[in-house]
Amino acid sequence: MGKYDAMWEKLNIDLPAHEGLMEVLGKFYGDIYLSQQGRLQGMEYLDLVLSEIHGLRVKELQEAKQLQGRKVIGTFCVFVPEELTIAANAIQIGLCSGADAGKEQVEKLIPRNTCALIKSFMGFKLARLCPFTESCDLIVGETTCDGKKKAYETFGKIAPMYVMEVPQRKSEQDRALWKAEILRYKETLEKLTGNTITAQSLKKAIVIVNNKRKAIQRLNKLRVADPVPISGRDALLINQVGFYDDPERFTNQVNLLCDQLEEKIARGEGVAPQGTPRLLMSGCPMAVPNWKLPYVTESSGAVIVGEESCVGTRNIRDLVDESGQTLDEMIDALTDRYLKIDCACFTPNSERVDNILNLAKETRADGVLQYTLLFCQPYAQENFRVEKSLQDAEIPSMVIETDYGMEDVEQLKTRIEAFVEMVK
Amino acid sequence: MGKYDAMWEKLNIDLPAHEGLMEVLGKFYGDIYLSQQGRLQGMEYLDLVLSEIHGLRVKELQEAKQLQGRKVIGTFCVFVPEELTIAANAIQIGLCSGADAGKEQVEKLIPRNTCALIKSFMGFKLARLCPFTESCDLIVGETTCDGKKKAYETFGKIAPMYVMEVPQRKSEQDRALWKAEILRYKETLEKLTGNTITAQSLKKAIVIVNNKRKAIQRLNKLRVADPVPISGRDALLINQVGFYDDPERFTNQVNLLCDQLEEKIARGEGVAPQGTPRLLMSGCPMAVPNWKLPYVTESSGAVIVGEESCVGTRNIRDLVDESGQTLDEMIDALTDRYLKIDCACFTPNSERVDNILNLAKETRADGVLQYTLLFCQPYAQENFRVEKSLQDAEIPSMVIETDYGMEDVEQLKTRIEAFVEMVK
C-alpha cells in the first residue's frame, strides 16, 4: 500500500484508477520537466510539489481541516478573491482541470462540444480521481463563460457549489453588481468558517496575495534577459503551483528562485542560446498537467518568454491597492482590482489587446502563439481581433486550437517549427 | 427591372445575389407552406408578407424614415423592449438570421464553431443581402450568450451596433443592473429619435405590445383542440412575422385568423386527423426562413402544437403590468416583465423546466422535440436537465441538434418518424 492510500481511500478516491493517473503523470512530468538541461536548484521545490501533487499538499489540507478546523475552497478561475478566503482563515486552491478524465461519464451530463477544461473538472469528480476536489468544503464557480456557467448547474448536484456572477461590461452598474458579489462571497465565507473577516485580517491577506503576485512579476521581469534564464515550461509550472500551494511558502520559494536566476543572468547563462526565438503564449489557461503546447514549442527551437493567460499574467498583473484602512475601503480595492481582469468574458475587452501588445514588447517576443481550447467561444472570437492588432504591429502570430488529446502533437510540432523558422 | 430594384440598389443590396436568394426562398416557401391542404383564408396575409418579405415592408420602413423621419431599430433577441422603441416613435424589427449567407466571408471574422444564427446575421450584412439590416438606424444586441456577445464586437465595425447587458442571475442586484440597462436604452432612443418618451407614449406602447402577445396567446390556446386547427408551420410563421410587421396590423390579422380558427374548431375541422401525434417544439429560436424542422416533423405524421422558444412562447408568455401611471412605475414593470424571460443565459434557469412541463400539459403534447442549434452551448447544456425532467414526468422527448444546412433532412426524417411511431 502506498503511503497516502489510506488518506485517498477516506476521500473516496478510486485507488486503482488514481494509481494509473499518477503513473502517467509521473512519466509525463519526467519527459517534460526532469529531462531539461541545467535546471536551477530551486526547481526541486516544484519537482517535489509535483511529484507529491496528490500527497503532501492534500495531507496538509486534511490536517488543516481536522486539526485546525479550517475550510478548503476550490476554484476554477482568477475571479475568486483569495484575499477574502485567507482573511476568513480558509485555504483556497485552484482545481487543476488540465487533463482528460472520466470523459464517458461527463458526456452523459454535458455536451460533447464543451471545452476540455470543463469536461476535465466534471470528469475528475465523476471518476473520483482528485483528492483536492474531494477535500473542498465549498467550490466557487463564476459566470465567465456559457460553458462553465451552465456546467456548474450540473456540477452543483454532485459537489458543494457556489457561483459568483461576473458582469459582462465594466460600467458603474457592473461595478455595483460585482461589489455586491464580493460582499456575498464574504458573507458566505463567514458563515462557512464561523470567522468574521475584519479590516485587520483582510489587510494582512491583501499583502499575502499581493506578495505572491509580486514574486511572479519579479520572475517575469527576469525572463526579459537574453539568454532567457528559465524555460517557459518551468515558468508555467510556477504559475500553476501558485494556485494550490500555501501562498506564503510559494512566495518565498519563487523569490529564492529569482535570486538564483539573477545570478544566472549575471553569469550570462540561459536555458537556450542567446538569440533563440522568443515566443509569447496568449489565450486560454493551461492548468496542471496541460504542458503539451509549451513542451512542443520548446522542443521546436523556441523559448517561451511569457504567458498572457489566467495561469499567467492575467492572474498577477494587477495588485490590490494596499492603502485601504477600513473594511469597506478594502472591499472597494478588491472590487476594482478584480474588475481590471481582461477576460474575454467582457464586452468590449479592448484592454486585452493593448496588454498583449505591451507584453510582447516587454518580453521582447519575436512572435505570439494564440492558444485556444477547442469550443472556447470567447477566446476563439477574440483571436481574430488580437491577430489583426498583432499584424498591424508587425508581430508574427499563429492561432493554435487544440484540446488535451495527444493525437495532434506531431501536427502541432510541424506548424510551430515552421512558425519558429519564420520569426527567426 | 423588378419593382423594388431601385429601392434595394439604394440600400446597397447585391442585386443579382439577392434575386437568387428570393428565388430560393420563394420555392422553399411554396414547398413548405403553399402546398398545405385546407389553409385558412386569413393566412393570405402571411403569404403576402412572406412573398413580399423584402419588398412591401421594407418600402414601408423607407417611407416611414423618409416621410415621417422615424428611426428603424433592428434586434436579434426578445430582450429588447419594443415598448420603449414604439414610445419613441421608432420602429422595431427582428433581423431574421434564419438562413445561411456569406459563410465564406463570415468565417474570416468569427470562428467556424459558431452557431448558424450568428453566422447568418453576420453573413447577411457582409453579403449585402438584407434590406432590413440596411434600413436600420441602430441595431441592438444583448449579452445573452458568448457567441453573440463577442460577435457583436466584430459586427459593430460594419453596422451601427448598440449592446444591452442582460444579467446572468435574477437577484436584486441583477434587477438593478437590468433596470439601468433599460433606462440607458431609453436615453439612447430619445437621443437617436429626438423624441422624449413620456408616461403617455409609453403607456400606449405597453398596450400595443401586450395586445400582440395576447393575440398569439389566443392563437396558442386554440391549438389545444384536437383535431388541431392550424399547422405548427403556420403558427411558427405567425410568430416570425410578429417580429417585423407593424404591431397593430399584425395583432388585427392574428385576431381575424383566430376568429376563423374558432369557427373551424366548432366545425370539428383540423389540419390533421383527430388523434395525430402532437409534438411540442422546445429550445433555440427558429428565425425566418428556418422552417426545416417543423416541415420535416409535420411531414412525418405529427403535428406541432407549441413552440417553447424565443420565436414562440418565450416571447409572448408574460405581459407587462399595465397598471403603472408614472414613467418610473412603467419602467419597473418593463424591468420585471423582461426579467421573467426564461432564457438559458440565466443561472439557474429552473423556471424554464417548469414552463416546459406546464406547456406540454397545456398543449396536450404527446412528446417534446428539443431543438438545438449546433454550437449553442446554453441550450445544449439545458437539454440534459430538460430531458431528465421530461423523463421523470413520463413525457417522451428527443434532442435534435442541427444547423441551417439541408444535408441532414433525410436523417432527421428517419429519426422523427421513429419518434412519432413511439409516442403514438
Side-chain angles (χ1 to χ4, degrees), chain A residues 59-72:
Chain A
K59 193 162 168 272
E60 276 185 350
L61 296 182
Q62 290 306 317
E63 285 169 1
K65 281 163 76 96
Q66 284 148 21
L67 306 180
Q68 304 164 39
R70 296 174 74 189
K71 301 292 180 186
V72 175

Side-chain angles (χ1 to χ4, degrees), chain B residues 143-316:
Chain B
T143 62
T144 43
C145 68
D146 291 339
K148 278 164 134 193
K149 175 169 70 178
K150 300 307 284 184
Y152 291 145
E153 294 173 16
T154 304
F155 199 60
K157 291 184 181 159
I158 50 175
M161 196 73 217
Y162 172 91
V163 178
M164 292 184 83
E165 181 176 7
V166 176
Q168 306 181 75
R169 303 197 316 137
K170 294 183 178 180
S171 73
E172 204 181 316
Q173 198 62 54
D174 293 293
R175 189 189 178 282
L177 183 138
W178 179 234
K179 185 177 174 181
E181 283 297 277
I182 285 186
L183 287 169
R184 190 167 68 95
Y185 180 53
K186 173 178 164 287
E187 282 159 28
T188 303
L189 280 168
E190 289 177 332
K191 213 171 147 188
L192 178 75
T193 61
N195 301 324
T196 304
I197 294 174
T198 63
Q200 203 188 3
S201 68
L202 186 52
K203 197 172 180 61
K204 208 179 142 199
I206 286 174
V207 172
I208 289 173
V209 184
N210 270 349
N211 285 345
K212 182 157 88 162
R213 295 184 185 117
K214 284 178 192 167
I216 302 183
Q217 286 176 359
R218 181 181 167 204
L219 173 81
N220 282 343
K221 282 213 183 86
L222 298 174
R223 297 164 74 189
V224 175
D226 187 15
V228 62
I230 184 170
S231 68
R233 267 165 291 177
D234 278 332
L236 173 63
L237 190 63
I238 291 167
N239 276 283
Q240 290 171 335
V241 167
F243 280 91
Y244 61 89
D245 199 14
D246 173 80
E248 293 181 284
R249 177 172 58 204
F250 173 82
T251 302
N252 288 337
Q253 292 290 347
V254 174
N255 277 318
L256 283 175
L257 255 171
C258 287
D259 294 342
Q260 289 184 48
L261 290 178
E262 281 171 359
E263 290 166 22
K264 213 172 154 178
I265 292 168
R267 291 194 302 270
E269 289 172 18
V271 289
Q274 198 167 13
T276 299
R278 305 163 64 89
L279 299 184
L280 176 63
M281 204 65 89
S282 168
C284 288
M286 290 179 183
V288 176
N290 178 13
W291 305 308
K292 181 171 84 170
L293 196 59
Y295 179 54
V296 169
T297 304
E298 297 196 329
S299 310
S300 302
V303 66
I304 297 165
V305 292
E307 300 75 24
E308 189 278 331
S309 151
C310 299
V311 185
T313 54
R314 200 166 353 272
N315 184 38
I316 57 99

